[in-house]
Structures are given as structure tokens and as C-alpha cells.
Amino acid sequence: NPGPNSYFEFDINDSSLADANLEGWCVDVDLDLGVEGPLNFDVYSSYEALPEGLFENVDNFDLVNWILNQTFIGEASPSGGTYTYGHVQWAIWELIDDRNCALCTYLTDPTGQWFLTRPEEEAKGMEIVQAALDNGQDFVPGCGQKVALVLVPEERKQSIIYMVDVPEKEIP
């Protein structure tokens, strides 16, 4: 379900992380998540060791965290138009995976329109990737920012990420 500010919205049930209408992002394009559920996930911080062989470019999660702490969606692109959730999703795939989407069916709302202007859409995605490369190396979110949690399904399906607030440091 494409959301206005993310690739999709989802709910977490039966966990200390339980919440509704969370903004989610697919981590890579190798597997499909599907729409059936509920699913069981293992949860990781994007800054901890992730399961071996799951992602092609794990060293780029700092860049993804930087992107998701920016306000690209709705902002003007230097190449014209505005950035959408699709450009952000495309940039995440470009940084984490060894290939990007072929048809990109769900990167627009209404769905199925990305391929009509693919070069222009990919140019906007690359602007986000370049901004992350220029500004997001070694990015670690601090208080008042968000950190990506990686949800890895127990079944062989697409892993997803969503953002949670960085907790305030407790002062004794």
C-alpha cells in the first residue's frame, strides 16, 4: 500500500514495537514481500551486524539512514518536478542492492506509471543517491533524528526497514 510519505504503510502486532500505519521501505529487490500476513520478522538495527549474505551493500546503511532523515519527499528536484516516495525507494535500492528494479511498477501513485518517464524518474533517484554520497558518509543519527530498523522475515521474503526515534540519553 503506497503511502504518501513512504513506499508502503504497515502495522506491527504482538511486539514491544507494536504500532499502526508505520512508514516502510523495501531494502532490496531480490525478493517479494507479498501482501499476505501476518509475517514474523527478526529485528535488527541498521548499524549492527546483519545476517551474512542478506544484502549486497551493507556498508551503505549509513547513507540510507541519512536519506531517511532528510525531507526529500515533496521537495523540488534540480532536474524539475518534485521528489516522491518512489525516488527515495529507488535510491535505497540503488545503494543497498547490486541491481535496481526493472519495471518499478509501484514507485508511482497511481501505480504503473514509472516506466513512462523512466529516465527522468531515475535522474531524480540518482540526485538523492549523489546527495547521500556527498553528505551521508559515516552518518549516525543523533537525538531528534531517526534510525532505520531492518525487519528480516522468517520466511524467504523481502526485508523491510522503517524508522524509529533515536532515544534520548538518560542523565542520572
Side-chain angles (χ1 to χ4, degrees):
N1 298 324
N5 297 310
S6 64
Y7 191 48
F8 61 91
E9 293 180 346
F10 70 104
D11 299 338
I12 295 179
N13 304 316
D14 303 324
S15 161
S16 63
L17 299 173
D19 204 351
N21 301 315
L22 297 168
E23 297 176 346
W25 304 90
C26 290
V27 182
D28 65 35
V29 295
D30 295 333
L31 298 170
D32 184 74
L33 183 61
V35 294
E36 72 280 351
L39 300 172
N40 293 315
F41 293 87
D42 293 323
V43 180
Y44 300 89
S45 165
S46 53
Y47 287 96
E48 72 179 292
L50 295 165
E52 188 71 30
L54 192 58
F55 307 111
E56 287 84 5
N57 298 303
V58 295
D59 293 337
N60 286 342
F61 272 102
D62 59 341
L63 303 176
V64 170
N65 273 283
W66 182 85
I67 288 171
L68 294 176
N69 273 282
Q70 308 309 305
T71 56
F72 284 107
I73 298 171
E75 296 292 321
S77 161
S79 62
T82 57
Y83 297 114
T84 67
Y85 70 86
H87 303 114
V88 173
Q89 179 61 73
W90 190 91
I92 292 169
W93 286 330
E94 188 70 11
L95 289 167
I96 299 298
D97 210 326
D98 60 351
R99 64 184 178 91
N100 212 318
C101 63
L103 297 176
C104 303
T105 302
Y106 299 102
L107 293 186
T108 56
D109 187 12
T111 60
Q113 304 298 308
W114 183 275
F115 70 94
L116 296 175
T117 56
R118 186 177 186 113
E120 293 86 359
E121 303 299 352
E122 288 181 2
K124 287 183 184 77
M126 279 307 299
E127 291 167 4
I128 295 172
V129 168
Q130 190 60 54
L133 292 169
D134 292 345
N135 302 295
Q137 293 288 337
D138 302 318
F139 175 77
V140 177
C143 294
Q145 294 181 309
K146 295 186 179 285
V147 63
L149 292 185
V150 181
L151 281 63
V152 177
E154 291 177 357
E155 299 124 16
R156 185 154 167 74
K157 292 185 175 282
Q158 168 78 250
S159 295
I160 62 174
I161 57 177
Y162 84 104
M163 306 298 285
V164 296
D165 293 325
V166 173
E168 295 284 331
K169 183 176 181 177
E170 291 186 29
I171 300 174

